[in-house]
Amino acid sequence: MKNILITGGCGYLGSHCAVKLIEKGYKVIIVDNLSNSDSSIIDKITKITKSKVIFYKGDIRDNKLVDKIFFQNKVDSIFHFSGLKSISESIKYPIKYYSSNVEGTINLLRAMESHNVNKIIFSSSATVYGNNYKLPWHEELCPLLPNNPYADTKLTIEKILQALSKSKILFKIGILRYFNPAGCHSSGLIGDNLENKNNLFPSILRVIMKRDKYLNIYGNNYDTKDGSGIRDYIHVNDLIEGHLKAFNYINNHDGYHLWNLGMGKGLSVYEIINVFEEKIGKKINTKIKPKREGDIAQFWSSTIKAKRELLWEPEKNIKDMVEDSVYYLQKSYNYKIFN
Ligand code: NAD
Ligand code: UDP
């Protein structure tokens, strides 16, 4: 049984990955500073998998802690999810973002080097492409033009990893550029943090639960089919399946490899609202707001490379993402659908 260290494993995507890896027979060690999550997620992972998880509360910038984790566990590989992820916040507080994302990763890589761990899967983002190329965004055709500090931290980390792959140590690196993960685990026990004020899905869920009165629609006059922003939403389950395929790939191929993980098609904010309204049988109140700084009208992925190299293809659709999200509200927040 191999030991995998998941950074940010209490977060939305890391927790889903922990469940999947445990189900596949790996032993999982989680480090998380709980800046955007809470430790109750560890019990939920245990409840779903009926297995123990080793958890370290702390920051990946803490040298001593990271060394301790490597000393105490025979870490085979890293799935590196931890990081800050809000574009708008990164514009306001760039140092906070470069520190947590870039400095944190450098500290992790330093520890990997000194403990002879050479396999890493990194959570990158479609934001590295910026806004300057025809759709769909393809890994090998698109220029990399990040237009905000968050995106720049992701590209900077990719570059550091690429440099490492050319160093004297044999590294096996998989970069995954996520488009827009949505939905949650079929148990309804884990999902995106509803306090996450940025992303569309948790914001819709807050309105459904009546925590918020209405959904802000950030821009209704984009040059898109209905004026609202268009994104490539991908079910978290498919996204995590992509991680396992990428992990398998780097186990068999040295060096630096990267793939987009998306559905390969775009949906507008209004289209997503419609699917939710159909599911809950009620209207979702909305209010038009100005466009967010740094936002892009539309983007979606090319999935050709992941299909070809990883033999990976998403299986779930937008109805699955919406249904699972509503089920999460029912199971974890006691939401009653017909009231
Ligand atoms: P999340 O905020 O739910 O999870 C990240 C976790 O990392 C949190 O639990 C947080 O407490 C922890 N963390 C943050 N900084 C840390 C640090 N310095 N040390 C230790 N722990 C730290 O985010 P998520 O949605 O699960 O995203 C995971 C990764 O995927 C992030 O790197 C994010 O940038 C990337 N990503 C996410 C999306 C998305 O829409 N969710 C899209 C593209 C890329
Ligand atoms: N969006 C919105 N209201 C919200 C959150 C998001 O209208 O409360 C829109 C946003 O403008 C974008 C789309 O939904 O067009 C997806 O936004 P999200 O922040 O989830 O993803 P990102 O923009 O980072 O790809």
Side-chain angles (χ1 to χ4, degrees):
M1 198 195 314
K2 286 191 172 154
N3 292 358
I4 297 190
L5 173 62
I6 304 184
T7 70
C10 294
Y12 172 36
L13 304 176
S15 59
H16 284 78
C17 188
V19 168
K20 183 72 88 181
L21 286 171
I22 294 168
E23 285 170 352
K24 294 276 179 194
Y26 293 98
K27 191 170 156 199
V28 164
I29 301 131
I30 288 177
V31 58
D32 198 303
N33 67 4
L34 305 180
S35 59
N36 196 34
S37 50
D38 70 82
S39 59
S40 67
I41 205 76
I42 298 293
D43 295 335
K44 290 177 187 162
I45 295 170
T46 303
K47 192 169 174 190
I48 297 168
T49 61
K50 299 179 180 59
S51 301
K52 263 190 95 67
V53 180
I54 301 171
F55 173 53
Y56 293 86
K57 179 182 177 306
D59 199 293
I60 61 159
R61 286 165 293 187
D62 178 345
N63 281 340
K64 279 198 185 133
L65 172 72
V66 174
D67 276 329
K68 183 168 114 185
I69 296 171
F70 279 86
F71 275 124
Q72 291 184 341
N73 302 278
K74 204 173 168 314
V75 175
D76 172 76
S77 315
I78 319 275
F79 280 54
H80 180 26
F81 289 91
S82 76
L84 302 174
K85 63 169 180 177
S86 156
I87 292 175
S88 53
E89 194 191 30
S90 80
I91 294 168
K92 283 192 205 128
Y93 308 105
I95 300 301
K96 184 175 164 190
Y97 272 66
Y98 284 100
S99 173
S100 189
N101 294 7
V102 180
E103 193 186 332
T105 303
I106 289 174
N107 193 40
L108 190 67
L109 295 171
R110 179 204 54 75
M112 283 176 71
E113 267 196 352
S114 54
H115 295 266
N116 295 317
V117 175
N118 70 344
K119 282 177 278 180
I120 182 165
I121 298 287
F122 170 59
S123 303
S124 190
S125 156
T127 54
V128 297
Y129 294 117
N131 187 19
N132 288 283
Y133 200 72
K134 64 178 191 298
L135 295 160
W137 287 351
H138 186 285
E139 297 89 335
E140 283 146 354
L141 301 177
C142 246
L144 298 172
L145 299 163
N147 63 350
N148 58 72
Y150 165 70
D152 197 51
T153 66
K154 292 293 178 189
L155 184 57
T156 304
I157 295 166
E158 288 193 7
K159 285 180 181 166
I160 294 169
L161 288 168
Q162 194 170 23
L164 262 189
S165 73
K166 293 178 183 151
S167 71
K168 61 182 170 52
I169 296 160
L170 178 70
F171 263 91
K172 289 167 173 278
I173 297 163
I175 309 281
L176 296 173
R177 291 181 181 155
Y178 309 158
F179 281 67
N180 289 66
C184 51
H185 190 260
S186 55
S187 63
L189 292 179
I190 53 174
D192 204 348
N193 182 350
L194 287 203
E195 301 316 315
N196 167 1
K197 303 272 180 200
N198 297 293
N199 293 123
L200 182 63
F201 268 64
S203 300
I204 293 177
L205 295 181
R206 283 196 307 280
V207 180
I208 293 178
M209 282 181 71
K210 301 196 172 82
R211 274 213 207 164
D212 289 351
K213 283 207 177 89
Y214 48 80
L215 174 75
N216 293 322
I217 296 191
Y218 297 122
N220 68 343
N221 60 355
Y222 279 112
D223 186 15
T224 58
K225 54 188 163 191
D226 59 20
S228 67
I230 290 183
R231 296 290 183 271
D232 180 346
Y233 297 92
I234 167 130
H235 195 290
V236 61
N237 209 55
D238 286 325
L239 187 96
I240 298 303
E241 242 350 287
H243 286 65
L244 292 177
K245 300 259 184 183
F247 186 50
N248 187 39
Y249 191 94
I250 65 163
N251 272 297
N252 296 304
H253 299 81
D254 299 338
Y256 176 85
H257 309 276
L258 66 88
W259 302 276
N260 286 340
L261 291 181
M263 289 280 277
K265 62 176 185 201
L267 290 169
S268 75
V269 174
Y270 287 118
E271 284 172 323
I272 303 291
I273 294 172
N274 283 343
V275 183
F276 269 102
E277 288 180 339
E278 252 172 50
K279 172 68 194 163
I280 62 169
K282 276 187 228 162
K283 279 261 8 106
I284 291 172
N285 294 328
T286 60
K287 208 173 226 185
I288 307 301
K289 293 279 176 167
K291 292 173 187 172
R292 296 184 303 195
E293 194 180 352
D295 253 5
I296 291 172
Q298 55 182 353
F299 58 83
W300 55 89
S301 62
S302 160
T303 57
I304 292 170
K305 192 165 185 273
K307 270 185 200 159
R308 189 183 63 225
E309 293 181 352
L310 302 180
L311 308 178
W312 170 83
E313 248 181 293
E315 287 175 359
K316 302 208 177 225
N317 60 29
I318 192 63
K319 277 198 171 158
D320 299 319
M321 296 176 223
V322 166
E323 267 177 29
D324 289 348
S325 301
V326 173
Y327 186 58
Y328 172 56
L329 278 194
Q330 293 172 284
K331 283 291 278 188
S332 293
Y333 291 86
N334 210 16
Y335 167 72
K336 305 273 182 296
I337 192 163
F338 299 112
N339 60 5

